[in-house]
mmCIF file with all atom_site columns, all heavy atoms in Angstrom:
data_model
loop_
_atom_site.group_PDB
_atom_site.id
_atom_site.type_symbol
_atom_site.label_atom_id
_atom_site.label_alt_id
_atom_site.label_comp_id
_atom_site.label_asym_id
_atom_site.label_entity_id
_atom_site.label_seq_id
_atom_site.pdbx_PDB_ins_code
_atom_site.Cartn_x
_atom_site.Cartn_y
_atom_site.Cartn_z
_atom_site.occupancy
_atom_site.B_iso_or_equiv
_atom_site.pdbx_formal_charge
_atom_site.auth_seq_id
_atom_site.auth_comp_id
_atom_site.auth_asym_id
_atom_site.auth_atom_id
_atom_site.pdbx_PDB_model_num
ATOM 1   N N   . ALA A 1 1  ? 38.495 -41.580 -103.823 1.00 97.00 ? 1  ALA A N   1
ATOM 2   C CA  . ALA A 1 1  ? 39.202 -40.272 -103.888 1.00 97.00 ? 1  ALA A CA  1
ATOM 3   C C   . ALA A 1 1  ? 39.341 -39.700 -102.432 1.00 97.00 ? 1  ALA A C   1
ATOM 4   O O   . ALA A 1 1  ? 40.368 -39.083 -102.163 1.00 97.00 ? 1  ALA A O   1
ATOM 5   C CB  . ALA A 1 1  ? 38.266 -39.268 -104.670 1.00 97.00 ? 1  ALA A CB  1
ATOM 6   N N   . CYS A 1 2  ? 38.418 -40.025 -101.551 1.00 96.00 ? 2  CYS A N   1
ATOM 7   C CA  . CYS A 1 2  ? 38.525 -39.509 -100.163 1.00 96.00 ? 2  CYS A CA  1
ATOM 8   C C   . CYS A 1 2  ? 39.682 -40.223 -99.452  1.00 96.00 ? 2  CYS A C   1
ATOM 9   O O   . CYS A 1 2  ? 40.456 -39.571 -98.789  1.00 96.00 ? 2  CYS A O   1
ATOM 10  C CB  . CYS A 1 2  ? 37.179 -39.854 -99.400  1.00 96.00 ? 2  CYS A CB  1
ATOM 11  S SG  . CYS A 1 2  ? 37.172 -39.447 -97.665  1.00 96.00 ? 2  CYS A SG  1
ATOM 12  N N   . LEU A 1 3  ? 39.849 -41.560 -99.697  1.00 96.00 ? 3  LEU A N   1
ATOM 13  C CA  . LEU A 1 3  ? 40.937 -42.282 -99.064  1.00 96.00 ? 3  LEU A CA  1
ATOM 14  C C   . LEU A 1 3  ? 42.293 -41.759 -99.592  1.00 96.00 ? 3  LEU A C   1
ATOM 15  O O   . LEU A 1 3  ? 43.258 -41.479 -98.791  1.00 96.00 ? 3  LEU A O   1
ATOM 16  C CB  . LEU A 1 3  ? 40.894 -43.766 -99.294  1.00 96.00 ? 3  LEU A CB  1
ATOM 17  C CG  . LEU A 1 3  ? 41.929 -44.686 -98.640  1.00 96.00 ? 3  LEU A CG  1
ATOM 18  C CD1 . LEU A 1 3  ? 42.017 -44.488 -97.104  1.00 96.00 ? 3  LEU A CD1 1
ATOM 19  C CD2 . LEU A 1 3  ? 41.751 -46.068 -99.008  1.00 96.00 ? 3  LEU A CD2 1
ATOM 20  N N   . MET A 1 4  ? 42.328 -41.486 -100.821 1.00 95.00 ? 4  MET A N   1
ATOM 21  C CA  . MET A 1 4  ? 43.691 -40.976 -101.542 1.00 95.00 ? 4  MET A CA  1
ATOM 22  C C   . MET A 1 4  ? 43.941 -39.584 -100.987 1.00 95.00 ? 4  MET A C   1
ATOM 23  O O   . MET A 1 4  ? 45.071 -39.380 -100.703 1.00 95.00 ? 4  MET A O   1
ATOM 24  C CB  . MET A 1 4  ? 43.539 -41.019 -102.927 1.00 95.00 ? 4  MET A CB  1
ATOM 25  C CG  . MET A 1 4  ? 44.812 -40.569 -103.647 1.00 95.00 ? 4  MET A CG  1
ATOM 26  S SD  . MET A 1 4  ? 46.187 -41.590 -103.310 1.00 95.00 ? 4  MET A SD  1
ATOM 27  C CE  . MET A 1 4  ? 45.749 -43.088 -104.028 1.00 95.00 ? 4  MET A CE  1
ATOM 28  N N   . ALA A 1 5  ? 42.874 -38.721 -101.042 1.00 94.00 ? 5  ALA A N   1
ATOM 29  C CA  . ALA A 1 5  ? 43.122 -37.377 -100.557 1.00 94.00 ? 5  ALA A CA  1
ATOM 30  C C   . ALA A 1 5  ? 43.686 -37.295 -99.106  1.00 94.00 ? 5  ALA A C   1
ATOM 31  O O   . ALA A 1 5  ? 44.492 -36.544 -98.756  1.00 94.00 ? 5  ALA A O   1
ATOM 32  C CB  . ALA A 1 5  ? 41.841 -36.458 -100.719 1.00 94.00 ? 5  ALA A CB  1
ATOM 33  N N   . TYR A 1 6  ? 43.003 -38.078 -98.284  1.00 94.00 ? 6  TYR A N   1
ATOM 34  C CA  . TYR A 1 6  ? 43.378 -38.139 -96.803  1.00 94.00 ? 6  TYR A CA  1
ATOM 35  C C   . TYR A 1 6  ? 44.786 -38.640 -96.721  1.00 94.00 ? 6  TYR A C   1
ATOM 36  O O   . TYR A 1 6  ? 45.601 -38.185 -95.869  1.00 94.00 ? 6  TYR A O   1
ATOM 37  C CB  . TYR A 1 6  ? 42.508 -38.969 -95.965  1.00 94.00 ? 6  TYR A CB  1
ATOM 38  C CG  . TYR A 1 6  ? 42.801 -38.883 -94.564  1.00 94.00 ? 6  TYR A CG  1
ATOM 39  C CD1 . TYR A 1 6  ? 42.403 -37.708 -93.837  1.00 94.00 ? 6  TYR A CD1 1
ATOM 40  C CD2 . TYR A 1 6  ? 43.462 -39.891 -93.947  1.00 94.00 ? 6  TYR A CD2 1
ATOM 41  C CE1 . TYR A 1 6  ? 42.762 -37.643 -92.496  1.00 94.00 ? 6  TYR A CE1 1
ATOM 42  C CE2 . TYR A 1 6  ? 43.884 -39.782 -92.558  1.00 94.00 ? 6  TYR A CE2 1
ATOM 43  C CZ  . TYR A 1 6  ? 43.461 -38.632 -91.836  1.00 94.00 ? 6  TYR A CZ  1
ATOM 44  O OH  . TYR A 1 6  ? 43.852 -38.524 -90.600  1.00 94.00 ? 6  TYR A OH  1
ATOM 45  N N   . SER A 1 7  ? 45.125 -39.754 -97.405  1.00 93.00 ? 7  SER A N   1
ATOM 46  C CA  . SER A 1 7  ? 46.493 -40.238 -97.318  1.00 93.00 ? 7  SER A CA  1
ATOM 47  C C   . SER A 1 7  ? 47.489 -39.246 -97.794  1.00 93.00 ? 7  SER A C   1
ATOM 48  O O   . SER A 1 7  ? 48.575 -39.102 -97.177  1.00 93.00 ? 7  SER A O   1
ATOM 49  C CB  . SER A 1 7  ? 46.569 -41.454 -98.273  1.00 93.00 ? 7  SER A CB  1
ATOM 50  O OG  . SER A 1 7  ? 45.659 -42.517 -97.953  1.00 93.00 ? 7  SER A OG  1
ATOM 51  N N   . LEU A 1 8  ? 47.306 -38.521 -98.813  1.00 91.00 ? 8  LEU A N   1
ATOM 52  C CA  . LEU A 1 8  ? 48.267 -37.500 -99.300  1.00 91.00 ? 8  LEU A CA  1
ATOM 53  C C   . LEU A 1 8  ? 48.261 -36.332 -98.263  1.00 91.00 ? 8  LEU A C   1
ATOM 54  O O   . LEU A 1 8  ? 49.389 -35.877 -97.887  1.00 91.00 ? 8  LEU A O   1
ATOM 55  C CB  . LEU A 1 8  ? 47.799 -36.846 -100.624 1.00 91.00 ? 8  LEU A CB  1
ATOM 56  C CG  . LEU A 1 8  ? 47.923 -37.718 -101.841 1.00 91.00 ? 8  LEU A CG  1
ATOM 57  C CD1 . LEU A 1 8  ? 47.147 -37.030 -102.965 1.00 91.00 ? 8  LEU A CD1 1
ATOM 58  C CD2 . LEU A 1 8  ? 49.301 -38.004 -102.123 1.00 91.00 ? 8  LEU A CD2 1
ATOM 59  N N   . TYR A 1 9  ? 47.135 -36.011 -97.585  1.00 89.00 ? 9  TYR A N   1
ATOM 60  C CA  . TYR A 1 9  ? 47.109 -35.071 -96.450  1.00 89.00 ? 9  TYR A CA  1
ATOM 61  C C   . TYR A 1 9  ? 48.033 -35.426 -95.365  1.00 89.00 ? 9  TYR A C   1
ATOM 62  O O   . TYR A 1 9  ? 48.744 -34.502 -94.734  1.00 89.00 ? 9  TYR A O   1
ATOM 63  C CB  . TYR A 1 9  ? 45.712 -34.849 -95.932  1.00 89.00 ? 9  TYR A CB  1
ATOM 64  C CG  . TYR A 1 9  ? 45.636 -34.162 -94.643  1.00 89.00 ? 9  TYR A CG  1
ATOM 65  C CD1 . TYR A 1 9  ? 45.856 -32.912 -94.500  1.00 89.00 ? 9  TYR A CD1 1
ATOM 66  C CD2 . TYR A 1 9  ? 45.394 -34.959 -93.376  1.00 89.00 ? 9  TYR A CD2 1
ATOM 67  C CE1 . TYR A 1 9  ? 45.684 -32.227 -93.278  1.00 89.00 ? 9  TYR A CE1 1
ATOM 68  C CE2 . TYR A 1 9  ? 45.241 -34.295 -92.189  1.00 89.00 ? 9  TYR A CE2 1
ATOM 69  C CZ  . TYR A 1 9  ? 45.478 -32.869 -92.133  1.00 89.00 ? 9  TYR A CZ  1
ATOM 70  O OH  . TYR A 1 9  ? 45.383 -32.347 -90.918  1.00 89.00 ? 9  TYR A OH  1
ATOM 71  N N   . THR A 1 10 ? 48.139 -36.696 -94.965  1.00 88.00 ? 10 THR A N   1
ATOM 72  C CA  . THR A 1 10 ? 48.859 -37.146 -93.849  1.00 88.00 ? 10 THR A CA  1
ATOM 73  C C   . THR A 1 10 ? 50.420 -37.025 -93.966  1.00 88.00 ? 10 THR A C   1
ATOM 74  O O   . THR A 1 10 ? 51.088 -37.056 -92.987  1.00 88.00 ? 10 THR A O   1
ATOM 75  C CB  . THR A 1 10 ? 48.535 -38.603 -93.448  1.00 88.00 ? 10 THR A CB  1
ATOM 76  O OG1 . THR A 1 10 ? 48.962 -39.418 -94.565  1.00 88.00 ? 10 THR A OG1 1
ATOM 77  C CG2 . THR A 1 10 ? 47.055 -38.830 -93.068  1.00 88.00 ? 10 THR A CG2 1
ATOM 78  N N   . PHE A 1 11 ? 50.864 -36.904 -95.215  1.00 84.00 ? 11 PHE A N   1
ATOM 79  C CA  . PHE A 1 11 ? 52.340 -36.787 -95.368  1.00 84.00 ? 11 PHE A CA  1
ATOM 80  C C   . PHE A 1 11 ? 52.780 -35.727 -96.331  1.00 84.00 ? 11 PHE A C   1
ATOM 81  O O   . PHE A 1 11 ? 53.929 -35.499 -96.617  1.00 84.00 ? 11 PHE A O   1
ATOM 82  C CB  . PHE A 1 11 ? 52.982 -38.119 -95.780  1.00 84.00 ? 11 PHE A CB  1
ATOM 83  C CG  . PHE A 1 11 ? 52.524 -38.740 -97.144  1.00 84.00 ? 11 PHE A CG  1
ATOM 84  C CD1 . PHE A 1 11 ? 52.830 -38.251 -98.402  1.00 84.00 ? 11 PHE A CD1 1
ATOM 85  C CD2 . PHE A 1 11 ? 51.459 -39.644 -97.109  1.00 84.00 ? 11 PHE A CD2 1
ATOM 86  C CE1 . PHE A 1 11 ? 52.383 -38.794 -99.411  1.00 84.00 ? 11 PHE A CE1 1
ATOM 87  C CE2 . PHE A 1 11 ? 51.056 -40.335 -98.250  1.00 84.00 ? 11 PHE A CE2 1
ATOM 88  C CZ  . PHE A 1 11 ? 51.469 -39.821 -99.467  1.00 84.00 ? 11 PHE A CZ  1
ATOM 89  N N   . ASN A 1 12 ? 51.820 -34.860 -96.812  1.00 82.00 ? 12 ASN A N   1
ATOM 90  C CA  . ASN A 1 12 ? 52.106 -33.891 -97.781  1.00 82.00 ? 12 ASN A CA  1
ATOM 91  C C   . ASN A 1 12 ? 51.570 -32.569 -97.575  1.00 82.00 ? 12 ASN A C   1
ATOM 92  O O   . ASN A 1 12 ? 51.487 -31.782 -98.476  1.00 82.00 ? 12 ASN A O   1
ATOM 93  C CB  . ASN A 1 12 ? 51.728 -34.365 -99.290  1.00 82.00 ? 12 ASN A CB  1
ATOM 94  C CG  . ASN A 1 12 ? 52.529 -33.592 -100.309 1.00 82.00 ? 12 ASN A CG  1
ATOM 95  O OD1 . ASN A 1 12 ? 53.650 -33.235 -100.194 1.00 82.00 ? 12 ASN A OD1 1
ATOM 96  N ND2 . ASN A 1 12 ? 51.825 -33.316 -101.407 1.00 82.00 ? 12 ASN A ND2 1
ATOM 97  N N   . SER A 1 13 ? 50.835 -32.377 -96.378  1.00 75.00 ? 13 SER A N   1
ATOM 98  C CA  . SER A 1 13 ? 50.379 -31.081 -96.116  1.00 75.00 ? 13 SER A CA  1
ATOM 99  C C   . SER A 1 13 ? 51.101 -30.289 -95.101  1.00 75.00 ? 13 SER A C   1
ATOM 100 O O   . SER A 1 13 ? 51.928 -30.896 -94.392  1.00 75.00 ? 13 SER A O   1
ATOM 101 C CB  . SER A 1 13 ? 48.928 -31.330 -95.520  1.00 75.00 ? 13 SER A CB  1
ATOM 102 O OG  . SER A 1 13 ? 48.981 -31.984 -94.229  1.00 75.00 ? 13 SER A OG  1
ATOM 103 N N   . PRO A 1 14 ? 50.851 -28.995 -94.937  1.00 74.00 ? 14 PRO A N   1
ATOM 104 C CA  . PRO A 1 14 ? 51.604 -28.227 -93.900  1.00 74.00 ? 14 PRO A CA  1
ATOM 105 C C   . PRO A 1 14 ? 51.279 -28.770 -92.459  1.00 74.00 ? 14 PRO A C   1
ATOM 106 O O   . PRO A 1 14 ? 52.222 -28.694 -91.651  1.00 74.00 ? 14 PRO A O   1
ATOM 107 C CB  . PRO A 1 14 ? 51.004 -26.828 -94.195  1.00 74.00 ? 14 PRO A CB  1
ATOM 108 C CG  . PRO A 1 14 ? 50.518 -26.727 -95.449  1.00 74.00 ? 14 PRO A CG  1
ATOM 109 C CD  . PRO A 1 14 ? 49.907 -28.152 -95.803  1.00 74.00 ? 14 PRO A CD  1
ATOM 110 N N   . THR A 1 15 ? 50.067 -29.296 -92.234  1.00 69.00 ? 15 THR A N   1
ATOM 111 C CA  . THR A 1 15 ? 49.909 -29.908 -90.949  1.00 69.00 ? 15 THR A CA  1
ATOM 112 C C   . THR A 1 15 ? 50.756 -31.080 -90.626  1.00 69.00 ? 15 THR A C   1
ATOM 113 O O   . THR A 1 15 ? 51.205 -31.248 -89.621  1.00 69.00 ? 15 THR A O   1
ATOM 114 C CB  . THR A 1 15 ? 48.353 -30.343 -90.821  1.00 69.00 ? 15 THR A CB  1
ATOM 115 O OG1 . THR A 1 15 ? 47.580 -29.154 -90.953  1.00 69.00 ? 15 THR A OG1 1
ATOM 116 C CG2 . THR A 1 15 ? 48.043 -30.821 -89.345  1.00 69.00 ? 15 THR A CG2 1
ATOM 117 N N   . ALA A 1 16 ? 50.868 -31.952 -91.650  1.00 70.00 ? 16 ALA A N   1
ATOM 118 C CA  . ALA A 1 16 ? 51.698 -33.084 -91.526  1.00 70.00 ? 16 ALA A CA  1
ATOM 119 C C   . ALA A 1 16 ? 53.142 -32.723 -91.141  1.00 70.00 ? 16 ALA A C   1
ATOM 120 O O   . ALA A 1 16 ? 53.793 -33.206 -90.202  1.00 70.00 ? 16 ALA A O   1
ATOM 121 C CB  . ALA A 1 16 ? 51.591 -33.979 -92.731  1.00 70.00 ? 16 ALA A CB  1
ATOM 122 N N   . GLY A 1 17 ? 53.647 -31.755 -92.051  1.00 68.00 ? 17 GLY A N   1
ATOM 123 C CA  . GLY A 1 17 ? 55.111 -31.339 -91.900  1.00 68.00 ? 17 GLY A CA  1
ATOM 124 C C   . GLY A 1 17 ? 56.072 -32.609 -91.652  1.00 68.00 ? 17 GLY A C   1
ATOM 125 O O   . GLY A 1 17 ? 56.138 -33.409 -92.483  1.00 68.00 ? 17 GLY A O   1
ATOM 126 N N   . LYS A 1 18 ? 56.675 -32.541 -90.553  1.00 65.00 ? 18 LYS A N   1
ATOM 127 C CA  . LYS A 1 18 ? 57.635 -33.598 -90.213  1.00 65.00 ? 18 LYS A CA  1
ATOM 128 C C   . LYS A 1 18 ? 56.905 -34.535 -89.278  1.00 65.00 ? 18 LYS A C   1
ATOM 129 O O   . LYS A 1 18 ? 57.539 -35.512 -88.733  1.00 65.00 ? 18 LYS A O   1
ATOM 130 C CB  . LYS A 1 18 ? 58.903 -32.987 -89.442  1.00 65.00 ? 18 LYS A CB  1
ATOM 131 C CG  . LYS A 1 18 ? 59.698 -32.116 -90.320  1.00 65.00 ? 18 LYS A CG  1
ATOM 132 C CD  . LYS A 1 18 ? 60.933 -31.553 -89.549  1.00 65.00 ? 18 LYS A CD  1
ATOM 133 C CE  . LYS A 1 18 ? 61.683 -30.714 -90.435  1.00 65.00 ? 18 LYS A CE  1
ATOM 134 N NZ  . LYS A 1 18 ? 62.846 -30.160 -89.722  1.00 65.00 ? 18 LYS A NZ  1
ATOM 135 N N   . ARG A 1 19 ? 55.566 -34.452 -89.111  1.00 64.00 ? 19 ARG A N   1
ATOM 136 C CA  . ARG A 1 19 ? 54.932 -35.380 -88.129  1.00 64.00 ? 19 ARG A CA  1
ATOM 137 C C   . ARG A 1 19 ? 54.423 -36.624 -89.035  1.00 64.00 ? 19 ARG A C   1
ATOM 138 O O   . ARG A 1 19 ? 53.190 -36.764 -89.335  1.00 64.00 ? 19 ARG A O   1
ATOM 139 C CB  . ARG A 1 19 ? 53.733 -34.622 -87.613  1.00 64.00 ? 19 ARG A CB  1
ATOM 140 C CG  . ARG A 1 19 ? 54.044 -33.482 -86.839  1.00 64.00 ? 19 ARG A CG  1
ATOM 141 C CD  . ARG A 1 19 ? 52.792 -32.700 -86.369  1.00 64.00 ? 19 ARG A CD  1
ATOM 142 N NE  . ARG A 1 19 ? 53.326 -31.474 -85.685  1.00 64.00 ? 19 ARG A NE  1
ATOM 143 C CZ  . ARG A 1 19 ? 53.607 -30.332 -86.261  1.00 64.00 ? 19 ARG A CZ  1
ATOM 144 N NH1 . ARG A 1 19 ? 53.466 -30.195 -87.552  1.00 64.00 ? 19 ARG A NH1 1
ATOM 145 N NH2 . ARG A 1 19 ? 53.864 -29.264 -85.651  1.00 64.00 ? 19 ARG A NH2 1
ATOM 146 N N   . HIS A 1 20 ? 55.412 -37.482 -89.349  1.00 74.00 ? 20 HIS A N   1
ATOM 147 C CA  . HIS A 1 20 ? 55.016 -38.596 -90.233  1.00 74.00 ? 20 HIS A CA  1
ATOM 148 C C   . HIS A 1 20 ? 54.117 -39.644 -89.494  1.00 74.00 ? 20 HIS A C   1
ATOM 149 O O   . HIS A 1 20 ? 53.496 -40.532 -90.268  1.00 74.00 ? 20 HIS A O   1
ATOM 150 C CB  . HIS A 1 20 ? 56.390 -39.390 -90.599  1.00 74.00 ? 20 HIS A CB  1
ATOM 151 C CG  . HIS A 1 20 ? 57.295 -38.430 -91.343  1.00 74.00 ? 20 HIS A CG  1
ATOM 152 N ND1 . HIS A 1 20 ? 56.846 -37.859 -92.518  1.00 74.00 ? 20 HIS A ND1 1
ATOM 153 C CD2 . HIS A 1 20 ? 58.537 -37.885 -91.111  1.00 74.00 ? 20 HIS A CD2 1
ATOM 154 C CE1 . HIS A 1 20 ? 57.884 -37.061 -93.052  1.00 74.00 ? 20 HIS A CE1 1
ATOM 155 N NE2 . HIS A 1 20 ? 58.867 -37.210 -92.193  1.00 74.00 ? 20 HIS A NE2 1
ATOM 156 N N   . TYR A 1 21 ? 54.020 -39.577 -88.115  1.00 82.00 ? 21 TYR A N   1
ATOM 157 C CA  . TYR A 1 21 ? 53.076 -40.406 -87.477  1.00 82.00 ? 21 TYR A CA  1
ATOM 158 C C   . TYR A 1 21 ? 51.655 -40.212 -87.696  1.00 82.00 ? 21 TYR A C   1
ATOM 159 O O   . TYR A 1 21 ? 50.809 -41.071 -87.423  1.00 82.00 ? 21 TYR A O   1
ATOM 160 C CB  . TYR A 1 21 ? 53.236 -40.364 -85.893  1.00 82.00 ? 21 TYR A CB  1
ATOM 161 C CG  . TYR A 1 21 ? 54.725 -40.995 -85.563  1.00 82.00 ? 21 TYR A CG  1
ATOM 162 C CD1 . TYR A 1 21 ? 55.637 -40.182 -84.895  1.00 82.00 ? 21 TYR A CD1 1
ATOM 163 C CD2 . TYR A 1 21 ? 55.095 -42.234 -85.727  1.00 82.00 ? 21 TYR A CD2 1
ATOM 164 C CE1 . TYR A 1 21 ? 56.887 -40.707 -84.365  1.00 82.00 ? 21 TYR A CE1 1
ATOM 165 C CE2 . TYR A 1 21 ? 56.262 -42.854 -85.416  1.00 82.00 ? 21 TYR A CE2 1
ATOM 166 C CZ  . TYR A 1 21 ? 57.120 -42.036 -84.802  1.00 82.00 ? 21 TYR A CZ  1
ATOM 167 O OH  . TYR A 1 21 ? 58.346 -42.568 -84.283  1.00 82.00 ? 21 TYR A OH  1
ATOM 168 N N   . LEU A 1 22 ? 51.311 -39.043 -88.382  1.00 86.00 ? 22 LEU A N   1
ATOM 169 C CA  . LEU A 1 22 ? 50.020 -38.831 -88.773  1.00 86.00 ? 22 LEU A CA  1
ATOM 170 C C   . LEU A 1 22 ? 49.451 -39.863 -89.781  1.00 86.00 ? 22 LEU A C   1
ATOM 171 O O   . LEU A 1 22 ? 48.251 -40.165 -89.752  1.00 86.00 ? 22 LEU A O   1
ATOM 172 C CB  . LEU A 1 22 ? 49.921 -37.355 -89.375  1.00 86.00 ? 22 LEU A CB  1
ATOM 173 C CG  . LEU A 1 22 ? 48.408 -36.849 -89.590  1.00 86.00 ? 22 LEU A CG  1
ATOM 174 C CD1 . LEU A 1 22 ? 47.619 -36.734 -88.310  1.00 86.00 ? 22 LEU A CD1 1
ATOM 175 C CD2 . LEU A 1 22 ? 48.506 -35.466 -90.250  1.00 86.00 ? 22 LEU A CD2 1
ATOM 176 N N   . MET A 1 23 ? 50.343 -40.523 -90.455  1.00 90.00 ? 23 MET A N   1
ATOM 177 C CA  . MET A 1 23 ? 49.989 -41.579 -91.367  1.00 90.00 ? 23 MET A CA  1
ATOM 178 C C   . MET A 1 23 ? 49.313 -42.779 -90.632  1.00 90.00 ? 23 MET A C   1
ATOM 179 O O   . MET A 1 23 ? 48.674 -43.732 -91.189  1.00 90.00 ? 23 MET A O   1
ATOM 180 C CB  . MET A 1 23 ? 51.129 -42.016 -92.104  1.00 90.00 ? 23 MET A CB  1
ATOM 181 C CG  . MET A 1 23 ? 51.553 -41.051 -93.228  1.00 90.00 ? 23 MET A CG  1
ATOM 182 S SD  . MET A 1 23 ? 52.888 -41.712 -94.374  1.00 90.00 ? 23 MET A SD  1
ATOM 183 C CE  . MET A 1 23 ? 54.249 -41.595 -93.205  1.00 90.00 ? 23 MET A CE  1
ATOM 184 N N   . ALA A 1 24 ? 49.538 -42.779 -89.222  1.00 93.00 ? 24 ALA A N   1
ATOM 185 C CA  . ALA A 1 24 ? 48.937 -43.914 -88.510  1.00 93.00 ? 24 ALA A CA  1
ATOM 186 C C   . ALA A 1 24 ? 47.512 -43.815 -88.484  1.00 93.00 ? 24 ALA A C   1
ATOM 187 O O   . ALA A 1 24 ? 46.846 -44.789 -88.022  1.00 93.00 ? 24 ALA A O   1
ATOM 188 C CB  . ALA A 1 24 ? 49.555 -43.857 -87.163  1.00 93.00 ? 24 ALA A CB  1
ATOM 189 N N   . THR A 1 25 ? 46.943 -42.689 -88.881  1.00 94.00 ? 25 THR A N   1
ATOM 190 C CA  . THR A 1 25 ? 45.467 -42.579 -88.781  1.00 94.00 ? 25 THR A CA  1
ATOM 191 C C   . THR A 1 25 ? 44.746 -43.237 -90.010  1.00 94.00 ? 25 THR A C   1
ATOM 192 O O   . THR A 1 25 ? 43.562 -43.212 -90.088  1.00 94.00 ? 25 THR A O   1
ATOM 193 C CB  . THR A 1 25 ? 45.084 -41.047 -88.633  1.00 94.00 ? 25 THR A CB  1
ATOM 194 O OG1 . THR A 1 25 ? 45.508 -40.328 -89.751  1.00 94.00 ? 25 THR A OG1 1
ATOM 195 C CG2 . THR A 1 25 ? 45.640 -40.482 -87.287  1.00 94.00 ? 25 THR A CG2 1
ATOM 196 N N   . ILE A 1 26 ? 45.618 -43.476 -91.084  1.00 95.00 ? 26 ILE A N   1
ATOM 197 C CA  . ILE A 1 26 ? 44.948 -43.945 -92.315  1.00 95.00 ? 26 ILE A CA  1
ATOM 198 C C   . ILE A 1 26 ? 44.158 -45.140 -92.089  1.00 95.00 ? 26 ILE A C   1
ATOM 199 O O   . ILE A 1 26 ? 43.075 -45.351 -92.669  1.00 95.00 ? 26 ILE A O   1
ATOM 200 C CB  . ILE A 1 26 ? 46.110 -44.085 -93.393  1.00 95.00 ? 26 ILE A CB  1
ATOM 201 C CG1 . ILE A 1 26 ? 46.738 -42.793 -93.736  1.00 95.00 ? 26 ILE A CG1 1
ATOM 202 C CG2 . ILE A 1 26 ? 45.558 -44.804 -94.676  1.00 95.00 ? 26 ILE A CG2 1
ATOM 203 C CD1 . ILE A 1 26 ? 47.840 -42.862 -94.776  1.00 95.00 ? 26 ILE A CD1 1
ATOM 204 N N   . PRO A 1 27 ? 44.622 -46.117 -91.387  1.00 96.00 ? 27 PRO A N   1
ATOM 205 C CA  . PRO A 1 27 ? 43.839 -47.424 -91.199  1.00 96.00 ? 27 PRO A CA  1
ATOM 206 C C   . PRO A 1 27 ? 42.516 -47.120 -90.513  1.00 96.00 ? 27 PRO A C   1
ATOM 207 O O   . PRO A 1 27 ? 41.449 -47.839 -90.847  1.00 96.00 ? 27 PRO A O   1
ATOM 208 C CB  . PRO A 1 27 ? 44.740 -48.231 -90.296  1.00 96.00 ? 27 PRO A CB  1
ATOM 209 C CG  . PRO A 1 27 ? 46.107 -47.825 -90.492  1.00 96.00 ? 27 PRO A CG  1
ATOM 210 C CD  . PRO A 1 27 ? 45.907 -46.286 -90.761  1.00 96.00 ? 27 PRO A CD  1
ATOM 211 N N   . PHE A 1 28 ? 42.411 -46.190 -89.666  1.00 97.00 ? 28 PHE A N   1
ATOM 212 C CA  . PHE A 1 28 ? 41.103 -45.822 -89.057  1.00 97.00 ? 28 PHE A CA  1
ATOM 213 C C   . PHE A 1 28 ? 40.121 -45.200 -90.183  1.00 97.00 ? 28 PHE A C   1
ATOM 214 O O   . PHE A 1 28 ? 38.982 -45.544 -90.100  1.00 97.00 ? 28 PHE A O   1
ATOM 215 C CB  . PHE A 1 28 ? 41.237 -44.833 -87.956  1.00 97.00 ? 28 PHE A CB  1
ATOM 216 C CG  . PHE A 1 28 ? 42.105 -45.304 -86.744  1.00 97.00 ? 28 PHE A CG  1
ATOM 217 C CD1 . PHE A 1 28 ? 43.349 -44.826 -86.499  1.00 97.00 ? 28 PHE A CD1 1
ATOM 218 C CD2 . PHE A 1 28 ? 41.564 -46.200 -85.821  1.00 97.00 ? 28 PHE A CD2 1
ATOM 219 C CE1 . PHE A 1 28 ? 44.166 -45.311 -85.478  1.00 97.00 ? 28 PHE A CE1 1
ATOM 220 C CE2 . PHE A 1 28 ? 42.346 -46.717 -84.874  1.00 97.00 ? 28 PHE A CE2 1
ATOM 221 C CZ  . PHE A 1 28 ? 43.633 -46.236 -84.634  1.00 97.00 ? 28 PHE A CZ  1
ATOM 222 N N   . VAL A 1 29 ? 40.622 -44.309 -91.058  1.00 96.00 ? 29 VAL A N   1
ATOM 223 C CA  . VAL A 1 29 ? 39.808 -43.878 -92.074  1.00 96.00 ? 29 VAL A CA  1
ATOM 224 C C   . VAL A 1 29 ? 39.359 -44.966 -93.086  1.00 96.00 ? 29 VAL A C   1
ATOM 225 O O   . VAL A 1 29 ? 38.125 -45.093 -93.373  1.00 96.00 ? 29 VAL A O   1
ATOM 226 C CB  . VAL A 1 29 ? 40.623 -42.820 -92.894  1.00 96.00 ? 29 VAL A CB  1
ATOM 227 C CG1 . VAL A 1 29 ? 39.797 -42.276 -94.055  1.00 96.00 ? 29 VAL A CG1 1
ATOM 228 C CG2 . VAL A 1 29 ? 40.874 -41.578 -91.939  1.00 96.00 ? 29 VAL A CG2 1
ATOM 229 N N   . LEU A 1 30 ? 40.249 -45.877 -93.410  1.00 96.00 ? 30 LEU A N   1
ATOM 230 C CA  . LEU A 1 30 ? 39.969 -47.007 -94.274  1.00 96.00 ? 30 LEU A CA  1
ATOM 231 C C   . LEU A 1 30 ? 38.897 -47.836 -93.592  1.00 96.00 ? 30 LEU A C   1
ATOM 232 O O   . LEU A 1 30 ? 37.858 -48.333 -94.191  1.00 96.00 ? 30 LEU A O   1
ATOM 233 C CB  . LEU A 1 30 ? 41.167 -47.857 -94.457  1.00 96.00 ? 30 LEU A CB  1
ATOM 234 C CG  . LEU A 1 30 ? 41.042 -49.020 -95.476  1.00 96.00 ? 30 LEU A CG  1
ATOM 235 C CD1 . LEU A 1 30 ? 40.568 -48.479 -96.891  1.00 96.00 ? 30 LEU A CD1 1
ATOM 236 C CD2 . LEU A 1 30 ? 42.290 -49.743 -95.640  1.00 96.00 ? 30 LEU A CD2 1
#
């Protein structure tokens, strides 16, 4: 659930917005 919630955060939150490069942090969390 933590990994899924963070992944959704990186491309579906107000902070992410148009900053799609935030998804590059997912491998570090994993």
Side-chain angles (χ1 to χ4, degrees):
C2 181
L3 180 60
M4 181 59 67
Y6 184 80
S7 299
L8 290 172
Y9 162 78
T10 62
F11 58 81
N12 198 37
S13 68
T15 300
K18 297 180 180 180
R19 302 173 183 87
H20 301 301
Y21 290 121
L22 192 59
M23 288 186 286
T25 61
I26 294 176
F28 296 107
V29 175
L30 184 60

